Amino acid sequence: MAITQKTLIAITVSAECPTHARTRAHTGGHELVIDEPAARGGTDEGPTPIETMIAALLGCTNVILNRIAEKHRVEVKAFRSRRKRASTGAASCSKRRWRCRSRRSG
């Protein structure tokens, strides 16, 4: 099995933290505001840190799922995942659905 070199992409992320609860991160020409709800001393200008982390993991899962599916010639029609956060801040899984169709011939 041949080993192929992966393309390396430089990533730069900077952040400003104007309050104890809010972070403004900048990367690739985008701004991401991460904040806590008012009940935890924030202003609710954006998702919480844990919501941001879970969303990032779902984004990675989507990319990896589609790359593996493409390698095996399987078409992914849709990928949906729903996560529900408990009031304590802990994340709990609820539903995962994949709809795939094989593109293999014969």
Side-chain angles (χ1 to χ4, degrees):
M1 175 187 288
I3 298 174
T4 58
Q5 178 68 35
K6 302 289 182 192
T7 302
L8 298 178
I9 300 170
I11 298 171
T12 302
V13 179
S14 62
E16 303 161 1
C17 305
T19 72
H20 75 282
R22 186 171 57 245
T23 302
R24 293 188 184 282
H26 305 272
T27 184
H30 304 282
E31 179 180 72
L32 176 63
V33 178
I34 304 165
D35 199 1
E36 292 286 353
R40 291 204 301 249
T43 55
D44 202 23
E45 288 185 31
T48 66
I50 192 75
E51 290 168 337
T52 304
M53 182 188 71
I54 292 169
L57 289 172
L58 288 171
C60 290
T61 300
N62 179 46
V63 170
I64 293 167
L65 169 72
N66 279 279
R67 286 187 180 169
I68 292 170
E70 182 179 348
K71 182 178 180 179
H72 293 281
R73 298 190 336 203
V74 173
E75 181 181 10
V76 178
K77 289 284 198 176
F79 168 65
R80 293 182 186 159
S81 185
R82 182 171 181 236
R83 299 291 178 254
K84 186 173 183 178
R85 184 174 55 107
S87 60
T88 61
S92 62
C93 299
S94 58
K95 295 181 181 177
R96 255 187 255 157
R97 290 187 282 175
W98 291 273
R99 291 176 51 203
C100 303
R101 184 179 78 194
S102 176
R103 291 187 296 194
R104 295 181 189 175
S105 55

